[in-house]
């Protein structure tokens, strides 16, 4: 049981990193300012990057963990190293969540 929890904790970290990567793509490069590093625009940028990226990463993790518990564990019962396939699955989930976030934010203007 402890091994499974640590495994899911690792996948949670991967999902949060994918969420942060998505937000970095959406937000673009950090705004440049003539003042110090602690300008209002850089603080808002960092807050949006970390806050929304973490939320998106947690959504990716919940979807992946539910999919893993329901479907993937039974499929890989005999296989010893399904990590590459699981990373591919979590990447596909990240792309789907990222596209959904973009469509809801930019196209439909709901978020």
């Amino acid at each position: 049981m402890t091994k499974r929890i640590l495994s899911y904790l690792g996948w949670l970290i991967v999902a949060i990193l994918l969420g942060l990567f998505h937000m970095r793509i959406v937000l673009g490069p950090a705004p440049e300012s003539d003042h110090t590093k602690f300008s209002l625009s850089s603080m808002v940028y960092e807050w949006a990057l970390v806050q929304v990226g973490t939320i998106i990463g947690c959504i990716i993790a919940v979807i992946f963990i539910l999919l893993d518990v329901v479907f993937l564990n039974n499929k890989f019962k005999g296989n010893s190293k399904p990590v590459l396939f699981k990373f591919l699955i979590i990447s596909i989930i990240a792309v789907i969540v990222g596209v959904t976030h973009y469509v809801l934010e930019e196209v439909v203007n709901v978020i």
Side-chain angles (χ1 to χ4, degrees), residues 45-76:
Y45 175 83
E46 294 294 328
W47 178 82
L49 181 72
V50 173
Q51 188 74 24
V52 181
T54 305
I55 291 170
I56 290 175
C58 288
I59 292 170
I60 293 168
V62 166
I63 294 170
F64 174 75
I65 290 171
L66 288 175
L67 182 69
D68 190 47
V69 167
V70 172
F71 181 70
L72 295 178
N73 276 340
N74 295 333
K75 187 170 178 88
F76 292 120

PDB file of all heavy atoms in Angstrom, residues 45-76:
ATOM      1  N   TYR A  45       2.060  37.634 -12.739  1.00  0.00           N
ATOM      2  CA  TYR A  45       2.484  36.563 -13.641  1.00  0.00           C
ATOM      3  C   TYR A  45       2.857  35.306 -12.850  1.00  0.00           C
ATOM      4  O   TYR A  45       2.411  34.209 -13.178  1.00  0.00           O
ATOM      5  CB  TYR A  45       3.676  37.025 -14.479  1.00  0.00           C
ATOM      6  CG  TYR A  45       4.250  35.952 -15.357  1.00  0.00           C
ATOM      7  CD1 TYR A  45       3.690  35.669 -16.591  1.00  0.00           C
ATOM      8  CD2 TYR A  45       5.355  35.210 -14.955  1.00  0.00           C
ATOM      9  CE1 TYR A  45       4.218  34.679 -17.406  1.00  0.00           C
ATOM     10  CE2 TYR A  45       5.884  34.220 -15.753  1.00  0.00           C
ATOM     11  CZ  TYR A  45       5.311  33.959 -16.976  1.00  0.00           C
ATOM     12  OH  TYR A  45       5.815  32.966 -17.778  1.00  0.00           O
ATOM     13  N   GLU A  46       3.674  35.468 -11.821  1.00  0.00           N
ATOM     14  CA  GLU A  46       4.094  34.326 -11.013  1.00  0.00           C
ATOM     15  C   GLU A  46       2.911  33.690 -10.294  1.00  0.00           C
ATOM     16  O   GLU A  46       2.814  32.471 -10.198  1.00  0.00           O
ATOM     17  CB  GLU A  46       5.160  34.747  -9.993  1.00  0.00           C
ATOM     18  CG  GLU A  46       6.459  35.192 -10.610  1.00  0.00           C
ATOM     19  CD  GLU A  46       7.192  34.076 -11.322  1.00  0.00           C
ATOM     20  OE1 GLU A  46       7.083  32.919 -10.895  1.00  0.00           O
ATOM     21  OE2 GLU A  46       7.869  34.375 -12.312  1.00  0.00           O
ATOM     22  N   TRP A  47       1.993  34.511  -9.786  1.00  0.00           N
ATOM     23  CA  TRP A  47       0.816  33.980  -9.100  1.00  0.00           C
ATOM     24  C   TRP A  47      -0.035  33.165 -10.058  1.00  0.00           C
ATOM     25  O   TRP A  47      -0.471  32.057  -9.715  1.00  0.00           O
ATOM     26  CB  TRP A  47      -0.023  35.120  -8.508  1.00  0.00           C
ATOM     27  CG  TRP A  47      -1.256  34.607  -7.844  1.00  0.00           C
ATOM     28  CD1 TRP A  47      -1.357  34.101  -6.582  1.00  0.00           C
ATOM     29  CD2 TRP A  47      -2.560  34.532  -8.411  1.00  0.00           C
ATOM     30  NE1 TRP A  47      -2.651  33.717  -6.340  1.00  0.00           N
ATOM     31  CE2 TRP A  47      -3.410  33.967  -7.443  1.00  0.00           C
ATOM     32  CE3 TRP A  47      -3.094  34.885  -9.641  1.00  0.00           C
ATOM     33  CZ2 TRP A  47      -4.761  33.748  -7.675  1.00  0.00           C
ATOM     34  CZ3 TRP A  47      -4.441  34.671  -9.870  1.00  0.00           C
ATOM     35  CH2 TRP A  47      -5.255  34.118  -8.905  1.00  0.00           C
ATOM     36  N   ALA A  48      -0.262  33.697 -11.254  1.00  0.00           N
ATOM     37  CA  ALA A  48      -1.083  32.975 -12.236  1.00  0.00           C
ATOM     38  C   ALA A  48      -0.393  31.689 -12.657  1.00  0.00           C
ATOM     39  O   ALA A  48      -1.043  30.645 -12.800  1.00  0.00           O
ATOM     40  CB  ALA A  48      -1.356  33.860 -13.450  1.00  0.00           C
ATOM     41  N   LEU A  49       0.905  31.748 -12.852  1.00  0.00           N
ATOM     42  CA  LEU A  49       1.648  30.556 -13.262  1.00  0.00           C
ATOM     43  C   LEU A  49       1.550  29.451 -12.211  1.00  0.00           C
ATOM     44  O   LEU A  49       1.194  28.312 -12.525  1.00  0.00           O
ATOM     45  CB  LEU A  49       3.116  30.915 -13.512  1.00  0.00           C
ATOM     46  CG  LEU A  49       4.026  29.785 -13.965  1.00  0.00           C
ATOM     47  CD1 LEU A  49       3.698  29.401 -15.395  1.00  0.00           C
ATOM     48  CD2 LEU A  49       5.474  30.216 -13.860  1.00  0.00           C
ATOM     49  N   VAL A  50       1.805  29.795 -10.970  1.00  0.00           N
ATOM     50  CA  VAL A  50       1.819  28.785  -9.916  1.00  0.00           C
ATOM     51  C   VAL A  50       0.404  28.362  -9.532  1.00  0.00           C
ATOM     52  O   VAL A  50       0.116  27.161  -9.438  1.00  0.00           O
ATOM     53  CB  VAL A  50       2.590  29.306  -8.688  1.00  0.00           C
ATOM     54  CG1 VAL A  50       2.466  28.355  -7.515  1.00  0.00           C
ATOM     55  CG2 VAL A  50       4.049  29.521  -9.045  1.00  0.00           C
ATOM     56  N   GLN A  51      -0.480  29.306  -9.317  1.00  0.00           N
ATOM     57  CA  GLN A  51      -1.824  28.983  -8.833  1.00  0.00           C
ATOM     58  C   GLN A  51      -2.620  28.183  -9.865  1.00  0.00           C
ATOM     59  O   GLN A  51      -3.120  27.105  -9.558  1.00  0.00           O
ATOM     60  CB  GLN A  51      -2.568  30.284  -8.490  1.00  0.00           C
ATOM     61  CG  GLN A  51      -3.884  30.067  -7.801  1.00  0.00           C
ATOM     62  CD  GLN A  51      -3.722  29.648  -6.362  1.00  0.00           C
ATOM     63  OE1 GLN A  51      -2.709  29.917  -5.736  1.00  0.00           O
ATOM     64  NE2 GLN A  51      -4.707  28.974  -5.842  1.00  0.00           N
ATOM     65  N   VAL A  52      -2.750  28.695 -11.049  1.00  0.00           N
ATOM     66  CA  VAL A  52      -3.545  28.022 -12.073  1.00  0.00           C
ATOM     67  C   VAL A  52      -2.834  26.770 -12.580  1.00  0.00           C
ATOM     68  O   VAL A  52      -3.477  25.751 -12.839  1.00  0.00           O
ATOM     69  CB  VAL A  52      -3.883  28.993 -13.229  1.00  0.00           C
ATOM     70  CG1 VAL A  52      -4.718  28.307 -14.287  1.00  0.00           C
ATOM     71  CG2 VAL A  52      -4.611  30.220 -12.697  1.00  0.00           C
ATOM     72  N   GLY A  53      -1.522  26.817 -12.694  1.00  0.00           N
ATOM     73  CA  GLY A  53      -0.770  25.641 -13.112  1.00  0.00           C
ATOM     74  C   GLY A  53      -0.909  24.486 -12.131  1.00  0.00           C
ATOM     75  O   GLY A  53      -1.037  23.325 -12.537  1.00  0.00           O
ATOM     76  N   THR A  54      -0.921  24.794 -10.847  1.00  0.00           N
ATOM     77  CA  THR A  54      -1.112  23.752  -9.835  1.00  0.00           C
ATOM     78  C   THR A  54      -2.522  23.181  -9.891  1.00  0.00           C
ATOM     79  O   THR A  54      -2.704  21.965  -9.766  1.00  0.00           O
ATOM     80  CB  THR A  54      -0.810  24.315  -8.434  1.00  0.00           C
ATOM     81  OG1 THR A  54       0.502  24.866  -8.429  1.00  0.00           O
ATOM     82  CG2 THR A  54      -0.922  23.247  -7.376  1.00  0.00           C
ATOM     83  N   ILE A  55      -3.508  24.025 -10.080  1.00  0.00           N
ATOM     84  CA  ILE A  55      -4.885  23.543 -10.179  1.00  0.00           C
ATOM     85  C   ILE A  55      -5.052  22.648 -11.400  1.00  0.00           C
ATOM     86  O   ILE A  55      -5.647  21.566 -11.316  1.00  0.00           O
ATOM     87  CB  ILE A  55      -5.869  24.727 -10.217  1.00  0.00           C
ATOM     88  CG1 ILE A  55      -5.888  25.429  -8.866  1.00  0.00           C
ATOM     89  CG2 ILE A  55      -7.274  24.262 -10.600  1.00  0.00           C
ATOM     90  CD1 ILE A  55      -6.640  26.738  -8.856  1.00  0.00           C
ATOM     91  N   ILE A  56      -4.518  23.061 -12.517  1.00  0.00           N
ATOM     92  CA  ILE A  56      -4.601  22.241 -13.730  1.00  0.00           C
ATOM     93  C   ILE A  56      -3.838  20.932 -13.536  1.00  0.00           C
ATOM     94  O   ILE A  56      -4.299  19.864 -13.949  1.00  0.00           O
ATOM     95  CB  ILE A  56      -4.089  23.030 -14.954  1.00  0.00           C
ATOM     96  CG1 ILE A  56      -5.084  24.124 -15.295  1.00  0.00           C
ATOM     97  CG2 ILE A  56      -3.872  22.114 -16.151  1.00  0.00           C
ATOM     98  CD1 ILE A  56      -4.651  25.033 -16.404  1.00  0.00           C
ATOM     99  N   GLY A  57      -2.690  20.987 -12.884  1.00  0.00           N
ATOM    100  CA  GLY A  57      -1.937  19.777 -12.593  1.00  0.00           C
ATOM    101  C   GLY A  57      -2.700  18.821 -11.687  1.00  0.00           C
ATOM    102  O   GLY A  57      -2.666  17.600 -11.879  1.00  0.00           O
ATOM    103  N   CYS A  58      -3.410  19.354 -10.703  1.00  0.00           N
ATOM    104  CA  CYS A  58      -4.214  18.502  -9.822  1.00  0.00           C
ATOM    105  C   CYS A  58      -5.386  17.878 -10.581  1.00  0.00           C
ATOM    106  O   CYS A  58      -5.740  16.718 -10.313  1.00  0.00           O
ATOM    107  CB  CYS A  58      -4.709  19.295  -8.623  1.00  0.00           C
ATOM    108  SG  CYS A  58      -3.401  19.677  -7.445  1.00  0.00           S
ATOM    109  N   ILE A  59      -5.975  18.607 -11.510  1.00  0.00           N
ATOM    110  CA  ILE A  59      -7.040  18.036 -12.336  1.00  0.00           C
ATOM    111  C   ILE A  59      -6.490  16.896 -13.181  1.00  0.00           C
ATOM    112  O   ILE A  59      -7.111  15.829 -13.291  1.00  0.00           O
ATOM    113  CB  ILE A  59      -7.691  19.131 -13.209  1.00  0.00           C
ATOM    114  CG1 ILE A  59      -8.470  20.110 -12.333  1.00  0.00           C
ATOM    115  CG2 ILE A  59      -8.596  18.522 -14.273  1.00  0.00           C
ATOM    116  CD1 ILE A  59      -8.937  21.356 -13.057  1.00  0.00           C
ATOM    117  N   ILE A  60      -5.321  17.101 -13.767  1.00  0.00           N
ATOM    118  CA  ILE A  60      -4.673  16.048 -14.553  1.00  0.00           C
ATOM    119  C   ILE A  60      -4.400  14.828 -13.663  1.00  0.00           C
ATOM    120  O   ILE A  60      -4.647  13.689 -14.065  1.00  0.00           O
ATOM    121  CB  ILE A  60      -3.368  16.566 -15.187  1.00  0.00           C
ATOM    122  CG1 ILE A  60      -3.668  17.636 -16.241  1.00  0.00           C
ATOM    123  CG2 ILE A  60      -2.563  15.429 -15.806  1.00  0.00           C
ATOM    124  CD1 ILE A  60      -2.446  18.395 -16.700  1.00  0.00           C
ATOM    125  N   ALA A  61      -3.918  15.068 -12.442  1.00  0.00           N
ATOM    126  CA  ALA A  61      -3.586  13.967 -11.532  1.00  0.00           C
ATOM    127  C   ALA A  61      -4.827  13.179 -11.128  1.00  0.00           C
ATOM    128  O   ALA A  61      -4.795  11.945 -11.088  1.00  0.00           O
ATOM    129  CB  ALA A  61      -2.877  14.508 -10.296  1.00  0.00           C
ATOM    130  N   VAL A  62      -5.913  13.871 -10.828  1.00  0.00           N
ATOM    131  CA  VAL A  62      -7.138  13.177 -10.424  1.00  0.00           C
ATOM    132  C   VAL A  62      -7.660  12.309 -11.560  1.00  0.00           C
ATOM    133  O   VAL A  62      -8.026  11.143 -11.347  1.00  0.00           O
ATOM    134  CB  VAL A  62      -8.213  14.187  -9.959  1.00  0.00           C
ATOM    135  CG1 VAL A  62      -9.586  13.546  -9.863  1.00  0.00           C
ATOM    136  CG2 VAL A  62      -7.821  14.798  -8.628  1.00  0.00           C
ATOM    137  N   ILE A  63      -7.684  12.845 -12.767  1.00  0.00           N
ATOM    138  CA  ILE A  63      -8.138  12.057 -13.918  1.00  0.00           C
ATOM    139  C   ILE A  63      -7.232  10.852 -14.130  1.00  0.00           C
ATOM    140  O   ILE A  63      -7.707   9.733 -14.347  1.00  0.00           O
ATOM    141  CB  ILE A  63      -8.218  12.936 -15.182  1.00  0.00           C
ATOM    142  CG1 ILE A  63      -9.312  13.990 -15.024  1.00  0.00           C
ATOM    143  CG2 ILE A  63      -8.479  12.084 -16.415  1.00  0.00           C
ATOM    144  CD1 ILE A  63      -9.303  15.035 -16.106  1.00  0.00           C
ATOM    145  N   PHE A  64      -5.926  11.058 -14.039  1.00  0.00           N
ATOM    146  CA  PHE A  64      -4.986   9.955 -14.251  1.00  0.00           C
ATOM    147  C   PHE A  64      -5.111   8.890 -13.171  1.00  0.00           C
ATOM    148  O   PHE A  64      -5.120   7.688 -13.471  1.00  0.00           O
ATOM    149  CB  PHE A  64      -3.549  10.470 -14.306  1.00  0.00           C
ATOM    150  CG  PHE A  64      -2.541   9.370 -14.370  1.00  0.00           C
ATOM    151  CD1 PHE A  64      -2.353   8.657 -15.548  1.00  0.00           C
ATOM    152  CD2 PHE A  64      -1.795   9.012 -13.261  1.00  0.00           C
ATOM    153  CE1 PHE A  64      -1.433   7.623 -15.618  1.00  0.00           C
ATOM    154  CE2 PHE A  64      -0.877   7.982 -13.320  1.00  0.00           C
ATOM    155  CZ  PHE A  64      -0.699   7.283 -14.503  1.00  0.00           C
ATOM    156  N   ILE A  65      -5.203   9.294 -11.913  1.00  0.00           N
ATOM    157  CA  ILE A  65      -5.288   8.329 -10.825  1.00  0.00           C
ATOM    158  C   ILE A  65      -6.588   7.532 -10.912  1.00  0.00           C
ATOM    159  O   ILE A  65      -6.590   6.310 -10.708  1.00  0.00           O
ATOM    160  CB  ILE A  65      -5.119   9.026  -9.461  1.00  0.00           C
ATOM    161  CG1 ILE A  65      -3.669   9.506  -9.313  1.00  0.00           C
ATOM    162  CG2 ILE A  65      -5.494   8.106  -8.314  1.00  0.00           C
ATOM    163  CD1 ILE A  65      -3.415  10.395  -8.122  1.00  0.00           C
ATOM    164  N   LEU A  66      -7.698   8.194 -11.228  1.00  0.00           N
ATOM    165  CA  LEU A  66      -8.953   7.461 -11.410  1.00  0.00           C
ATOM    166  C   LEU A  66      -8.850   6.469 -12.563  1.00  0.00           C
ATOM    167  O   LEU A  66      -9.304   5.328 -12.452  1.00  0.00           O
ATOM    168  CB  LEU A  66     -10.106   8.432 -11.638  1.00  0.00           C
ATOM    169  CG  LEU A  66     -10.572   9.228 -10.422  1.00  0.00           C
ATOM    170  CD1 LEU A  66     -11.625  10.241 -10.827  1.00  0.00           C
ATOM    171  CD2 LEU A  66     -11.090   8.295  -9.354  1.00  0.00           C
ATOM    172  N   LEU A  67      -8.261   6.892 -13.664  1.00  0.00           N
ATOM    173  CA  LEU A  67      -8.079   5.999 -14.806  1.00  0.00           C
ATOM    174  C   LEU A  67      -7.144   4.838 -14.441  1.00  0.00           C
ATOM    175  O   LEU A  67      -7.389   3.696 -14.840  1.00  0.00           O
ATOM    176  CB  LEU A  67      -7.522   6.777 -15.996  1.00  0.00           C
ATOM    177  CG  LEU A  67      -7.321   6.002 -17.290  1.00  0.00           C
ATOM    178  CD1 LEU A  67      -8.683   5.632 -17.873  1.00  0.00           C
ATOM    179  CD2 LEU A  67      -6.543   6.834 -18.282  1.00  0.00           C
ATOM    180  N   ASP A  68      -6.124   5.123 -13.670  1.00  0.00           N
ATOM    181  CA  ASP A  68      -5.182   4.086 -13.273  1.00  0.00           C
ATOM    182  C   ASP A  68      -5.828   3.072 -12.335  1.00  0.00           C
ATOM    183  O   ASP A  68      -5.640   1.867 -12.490  1.00  0.00           O
ATOM    184  CB  ASP A  68      -3.961   4.721 -12.603  1.00  0.00           C
ATOM    185  CG  ASP A  68      -2.843   3.732 -12.377  1.00  0.00           C
ATOM    186  OD1 ASP A  68      -2.529   2.994 -13.330  1.00  0.00           O
ATOM    187  OD2 ASP A  68      -2.298   3.703 -11.273  1.00  0.00           O
ATOM    188  N   VAL A  69      -6.599   3.550 -11.376  1.00  0.00           N
ATOM    189  CA  VAL A  69      -7.244   2.645 -10.428  1.00  0.00           C
ATOM    190  C   VAL A  69      -8.295   1.783 -11.120  1.00  0.00           C
ATOM    191  O   VAL A  69      -8.377   0.580 -10.888  1.00  0.00           O
ATOM    192  CB  VAL A  69      -7.875   3.446  -9.262  1.00  0.00           C
ATOM    193  CG1 VAL A  69      -8.815   2.584  -8.443  1.00  0.00           C
ATOM    194  CG2 VAL A  69      -6.789   4.037  -8.386  1.00  0.00           C
ATOM    195  N   VAL A  70      -9.082   2.396 -11.988  1.00  0.00           N
ATOM    196  CA  VAL A  70     -10.181   1.672 -12.617  1.00  0.00           C
ATOM    197  C   VAL A  70      -9.709   0.768 -13.751  1.00  0.00           C
ATOM    198  O   VAL A  70     -10.135  -0.383 -13.853  1.00  0.00           O
ATOM    199  CB  VAL A  70     -11.245   2.668 -13.137  1.00  0.00           C
ATOM    200  CG1 VAL A  70     -12.296   1.972 -13.966  1.00  0.00           C
ATOM    201  CG2 VAL A  70     -11.883   3.404 -11.980  1.00  0.00           C
ATOM    202  N   PHE A  71      -8.792   1.248 -14.584  1.00  0.00           N
ATOM    203  CA  PHE A  71      -8.493   0.529 -15.816  1.00  0.00           C
ATOM    204  C   PHE A  71      -7.055   0.026 -15.916  1.00  0.00           C
ATOM    205  O   PHE A  71      -6.817  -1.137 -16.217  1.00  0.00           O
ATOM    206  CB  PHE A  71      -8.821   1.429 -17.013  1.00  0.00           C
ATOM    207  CG  PHE A  71      -8.566   0.796 -18.338  1.00  0.00           C
ATOM    208  CD1 PHE A  71      -9.363  -0.238 -18.789  1.00  0.00           C
ATOM    209  CD2 PHE A  71      -7.521   1.224 -19.127  1.00  0.00           C
ATOM    210  CE1 PHE A  71      -9.117  -0.837 -20.018  1.00  0.00           C
ATOM    211  CE2 PHE A  71      -7.263   0.648 -20.356  1.00  0.00           C
ATOM    212  CZ  PHE A  71      -8.073  -0.391 -20.801  1.00  0.00           C
ATOM    213  N   LEU A  72      -6.087   0.890 -15.665  1.00  0.00           N
ATOM    214  CA  LEU A  72      -4.698   0.560 -15.981  1.00  0.00           C
ATOM    215  C   LEU A  72      -4.084  -0.498 -15.057  1.00  0.00           C
ATOM    216  O   LEU A  72      -3.251  -1.285 -15.503  1.00  0.00           O
ATOM    217  CB  LEU A  72      -3.841   1.818 -15.972  1.00  0.00           C
ATOM    218  CG  LEU A  72      -4.165   2.848 -17.056  1.00  0.00           C
ATOM    219  CD1 LEU A  72      -3.278   4.061 -16.905  1.00  0.00           C
ATOM    220  CD2 LEU A  72      -4.047   2.256 -18.430  1.00  0.00           C
ATOM    221  N   ASN A  73      -4.461  -0.518 -13.777  1.00  0.00           N
ATOM    222  CA  ASN A  73      -3.883  -1.512 -12.869  1.00  0.00           C
ATOM    223  C   ASN A  73      -4.215  -2.929 -13.295  1.00  0.00           C
ATOM    224  O   ASN A  73      -3.376  -3.817 -13.216  1.00  0.00           O
ATOM    225  CB  ASN A  73      -4.358  -1.275 -11.433  1.00  0.00           C
ATOM    226  CG  ASN A  73      -3.527  -0.238 -10.741  1.00  0.00           C
ATOM    227  OD1 ASN A  73      -2.409   0.051 -11.146  1.00  0.00           O
ATOM    228  ND2 ASN A  73      -4.073   0.338  -9.693  1.00  0.00           N
ATOM    229  N   ASN A  74      -5.435  -3.151 -13.741  1.00  0.00           N
ATOM    230  CA  ASN A  74      -5.816  -4.493 -14.188  1.00  0.00           C
ATOM    231  C   ASN A  74      -5.119  -4.859 -15.492  1.00  0.00           C
ATOM    232  O   ASN A  74      -4.790  -6.016 -15.711  1.00  0.00           O
ATOM    233  CB  ASN A  74      -7.330  -4.579 -14.370  1.00  0.00           C
ATOM    234  CG  ASN A  74      -8.052  -4.422 -13.049  1.00  0.00           C
ATOM    235  OD1 ASN A  74      -7.516  -4.735 -12.002  1.00  0.00           O
ATOM    236  ND2 ASN A  74      -9.268  -3.915 -13.104  1.00  0.00           N
ATOM    237  N   LYS A  75      -4.903  -3.896 -16.342  1.00  0.00           N
ATOM    238  CA  LYS A  75      -4.281  -4.160 -17.634  1.00  0.00           C
ATOM    239  C   LYS A  75      -2.797  -4.509 -17.500  1.00  0.00           C
ATOM    240  O   LYS A  75      -2.281  -5.333 -18.247  1.00  0.00           O
ATOM    241  CB  LYS A  75      -4.461  -2.943 -18.537  1.00  0.00           C
ATOM    242  CG  LYS A  75      -3.998  -3.169 -19.957  1.00  0.00           C
ATOM    243  CD  LYS A  75      -4.431  -2.027 -20.837  1.00  0.00           C
ATOM    244  CE  LYS A  75      -3.947  -2.222 -22.233  1.00  0.00           C
ATOM    245  NZ  LYS A  75      -4.850  -2.990 -23.057  1.00  0.00           N
ATOM    246  N   PHE A  76      -2.109  -3.887 -16.547  1.00  0.00           N
ATOM    247  CA  PHE A  76      -0.667  -4.087 -16.394  1.00  0.00           C
ATOM    248  C   PHE A  76      -0.320  -4.997 -15.219  1.00  0.00           C
ATOM    249  O   PHE A  76       0.767  -4.904 -14.661  1.00  0.00           O
ATOM    250  CB  PHE A  76       0.040  -2.741 -16.202  1.00  0.00           C
ATOM    251  CG  PHE A  76       0.004  -1.876 -17.411  1.00  0.00           C
ATOM    252  CD1 PHE A  76      -0.592  -0.633 -17.363  1.00  0.00           C
ATOM    253  CD2 PHE A  76       0.554  -2.301 -18.590  1.00  0.00           C
ATOM    254  CE1 PHE A  76      -0.628   0.172 -18.473  1.00  0.00           C
ATOM    255  CE2 PHE A  76       0.526  -1.504 -19.712  1.00  0.00           C
ATOM    256  CZ  PHE A  76      -0.066  -0.266 -19.653  1.00  0.00           C
TER     257      PHE A  76
END
